[in-house]
């Protein structure tokens, strides 16, 4: 199984999400979140997330701990031992619109020996006020993104043992301005940041990603933009597609995409990660 980090929901070009239900952790989940870490194994102690309300910080830490335990990695909230990794977060909430705000969290993984600290950045757009009333799907999505990034860091042999496939980004058709090249480079960057090898177009056994952009005619100063990403197996069969759309100021991407390309790639990766999970791993070389 592939394990990838989803860096966040696209702020500018976000894919639609199903309406979540209010999160209410069960007594069993609360108890599991503070389980002691075995002293003979490297576990993870999840510390406080600064900058978040406790209504979001507590349930999110518990969700991350549970997902790590689901991966057979000992994890607990605030409780550890000398051999445990420490995971802490620094967060900020930024209004995006009257309906949405962005949760941005920088995660820092501190090894037991105090060596090099690894960092994970994640951004998620959530409905305004949801930070005070988090929901199960939102928490699960954020926790999944964090833990899929952590697993290879905690166990570097995972990717090697599973036979990780390389991905070739063929290009993006229909993008205005410098979007064709900017989106390709941005997606390659996001894939690499999440541990996905980028390979040449003619590499045997490589998966292929191609993109298409379409823009509707401007109406009252705005226009609808659609992005469609297709993930293909080496034989050309389709693993699946990821689609994004949103209203943008008319003509705002006619020249330089700038950060919009990164935002688009981050949003696309959320869906592509789920598709990459479905791809059969390469057979380990004998």
């Amino acid at each position: 199984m592939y394990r990838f980090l989803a860096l966040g929901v696209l702020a500018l070009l976000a894919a639609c999400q199903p309406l979540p239900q209010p999160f209410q952790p069960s007594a069993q989940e609360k108890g599991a979140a503070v389980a002691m870490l075995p002293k003979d194994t490297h576990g993870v102690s999840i510390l406080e997330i600064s900058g978040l309300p406790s209504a979001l910080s507590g349930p999110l830490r518990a969700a991350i701990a549970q997902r790590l335990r689901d991966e057979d990695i000992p994890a607990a909230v605030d409780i550890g031992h000398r051999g445990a990794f420490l995971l802490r977060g620094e967060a900020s909430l930024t209004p995006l619109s009257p309906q949405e705000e962005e949760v941005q969290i920088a995660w820092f993984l501190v090894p037991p020996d105090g060596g090099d600290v690894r960092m994970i950045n994640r951004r998620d757009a959530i409905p305004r006020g949801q930070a005070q009333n988090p929901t199960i799907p939102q928490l699960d999505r954020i926790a999944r993104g964090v833990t899929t990034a952590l697993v290879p860091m905690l166990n570097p042999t995972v990717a090697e043992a599973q036979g990780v496939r390389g991905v070739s980004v063929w290009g993006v058709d229909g993008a205005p301005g410098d979007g064709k090249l900017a989106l390709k480079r941005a997606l390659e960057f996001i894939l690499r940041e999440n541990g996905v090898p980028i390979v040449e177009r003619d590499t045997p056994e490589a998966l292929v990603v191609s993109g298409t952009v379409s823009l509707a005619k401007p109406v009252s100063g705005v226009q609808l933009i659609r992005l469609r990403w297709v993930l293909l197996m080496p034989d050309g069969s389709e693993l699946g597609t990821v689609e994004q759309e949103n209203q943008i100021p008319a003509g705002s991407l006619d020249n330089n995409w700038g950060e919009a390309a990164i935002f688009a790639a981050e949003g696309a990766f959320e869906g592509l990660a789920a598709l990459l999970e479905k791809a059969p791993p390469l057979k380990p070389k004998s």
Side-chain angles (χ1 to χ4, degrees):
M1 180 185 295
Y2 283 81
R3 309 185 197 290
F4 299 104
L5 165 64
L7 288 176
V9 175
L10 176 65
L12 178 64
L13 303 164
C16 296
Q17 298 293 329
L19 291 176
Q21 300 299 317
F23 176 79
Q24 294 294 335
S26 66
Q28 183 178 5
E29 288 171 330
K30 291 179 180 178
V34 295
M36 290 297 293
L37 300 177
K39 293 185 178 182
D40 59 347
T41 60
H42 284 306
V44 180
S45 179
I46 304 169
L47 308 181
E48 187 60 52
I49 307 170
S50 64
L52 287 186
S54 59
L56 176 57
S57 174
L60 178 56
R61 292 193 294 154
I64 292 172
Q66 183 59 58
R67 275 199 163 268
L68 286 172
R69 290 193 293 270
D70 290 343
E71 298 288 345
D72 296 324
I73 297 174
V77 173
D78 291 329
I79 298 177
H81 61 85
R82 290 185 178 181
F85 286 82
L86 301 180
L87 180 67
R88 63 180 180 86
E90 296 180 1
S92 61
L93 290 170
T94 305
L96 293 176
S97 71
Q99 294 77 35
E100 287 187 317
E101 59 186 336
E102 182 181 75
V103 180
Q104 182 170 352
I105 306 178
W107 297 94
F108 299 91
L109 182 67
V110 183
D113 60 4
D116 293 338
V117 176
R118 303 290 297 276
M119 186 173 71
I120 302 165
N121 282 307
R122 182 179 173 89
R123 290 180 291 188
D124 287 271
I126 63 174
R128 293 289 288 270
Q130 190 171 308
Q132 297 289 348
N133 187 24
T135 61
I136 290 176
Q138 181 66 43
L139 288 163
D140 184 68
R141 186 157 55 86
I142 298 175
R144 182 177 69 245
V146 176
T147 55
T148 49
L150 287 172
V151 168
M153 296 180 185
L154 298 166
N155 185 4
T157 63
V158 167
E160 180 181 351
Q162 292 172 344
V164 175
R165 285 183 178 273
V167 172
S168 175
V169 181
W170 279 16
V172 185
D173 294 330
D178 67 353
K180 181 175 182 178
L181 182 58
L183 285 168
K184 180 178 186 295
R185 288 177 173 174
L187 184 58
E188 289 176 340
F189 171 78
I190 295 300
L191 288 168
R192 287 193 190 96
E193 285 292 293
N194 289 281
V196 183
I198 300 300
V199 297
E200 297 298 327
R201 181 167 180 160
D202 57 354
T203 301
E205 300 298 325
L207 301 175
V208 173
V209 177
S210 64
T212 305
V213 178
S214 61
L215 281 166
K217 292 182 178 181
V219 177
S220 301
V222 298
Q223 60 188 144
L224 182 69
I225 185 170
R226 292 188 176 92
L227 285 80
R228 185 174 187 269
W229 305 91
V230 181
L231 182 64
L232 302 172
M233 290 289 292
D235 62 3
S237 60
E238 186 177 299
L239 270 173
T241 62
V242 177
E243 296 185 354
Q244 302 163 277
E245 68 174 41
N246 202 10
Q247 299 282 349
I248 62 171
S252 60
L253 298 178
D254 286 352
N255 296 306
N256 299 322
W257 278 62
E259 281 193 336
I262 290 292
F263 292 152
E266 289 178 349
F269 182 78
E270 178 115 356
L272 289 173
L275 296 178
L276 288 165
E277 291 270 1
K278 297 164 53 179
L282 291 171
K283 294 181 180 179
K285 295 180 180 179
S286 55

